[in-house]
């Protein structure tokens, strides 16, 4: 969301994106894999389709489960879809955004960036 940026405003989108890797090994507790249902509607009467998490992971991967979970947590306003579009999910560890990462596991990854610059990029606790 870019809350650490000086231009941040709640009604605008600052353009930060999130890269999630290793989504193929999504882990849930209990019987959620068999019991949690995801719904979709085709706008025709009686066309409500339900699919459980296990089938969704098999068909579309764990990234889709993560995207739907994040979509439910984002505010329901005009910024939800652009924010969700900047969530990049990958089933494995490889992704094309490695050169763009500034923070990973709380450590600076860009060589040549001074420590003071890296410290300003950290997310501030709310």
């Amino acid at each position: 969301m870019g809350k650490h940026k000086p231009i941040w405003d709640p009604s605008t989108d600052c353009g930060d994106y999130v890269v999630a890797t290793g989504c193929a090994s999504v882990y849930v507790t209990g019987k959620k894999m068999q019991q949690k249902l995801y719904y979709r509607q085709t706008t025709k009467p009686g066309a409500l389709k339900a699919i459980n998490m296990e089938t969704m992971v098999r068909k579309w991967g764990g990234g889709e489960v993560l995207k739907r979970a994040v979509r439910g947590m984002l505010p329901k306003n005009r910024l939800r879809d652009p924010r969700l579009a900047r969530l990049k999910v990958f089933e494995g560890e490889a992704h094309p955004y490695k050169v763009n990462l500034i923070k990973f596991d709380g450590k600076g990854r860009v060589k040549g960036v001074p420590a003071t610059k890296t410290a300003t990029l950290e997310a501030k606790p709310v």
Side-chain angles (χ1 to χ4, degrees), residues 19-78:
V19 177
T21 59
C23 294
S25 59
V26 66
Y27 174 77
V28 292
T29 59
K31 297 181 181 178
K32 289 185 190 84
M33 277 292 202
Q34 293 80 27
Q35 292 179 349
K36 178 154 180 62
L37 298 176
Y38 295 94
Y39 298 98
R40 56 196 164 118
Q41 171 70 345
T42 63
T43 68
K44 294 182 180 179
L48 183 67
K49 305 286 185 192
I51 185 171
N52 65 2
M53 186 185 287
E54 188 175 34
T55 308
M56 181 174 283
V57 169
R58 198 172 340 113
K59 280 179 108 174
W60 293 298
E64 182 65 24
V65 172
L66 180 67
K67 276 187 177 182
R68 291 201 183 197
V70 171
R71 182 177 177 84
M73 289 184 255
L74 287 174
K76 281 65 174 177
N77 58 20
R78 64 183 177 85

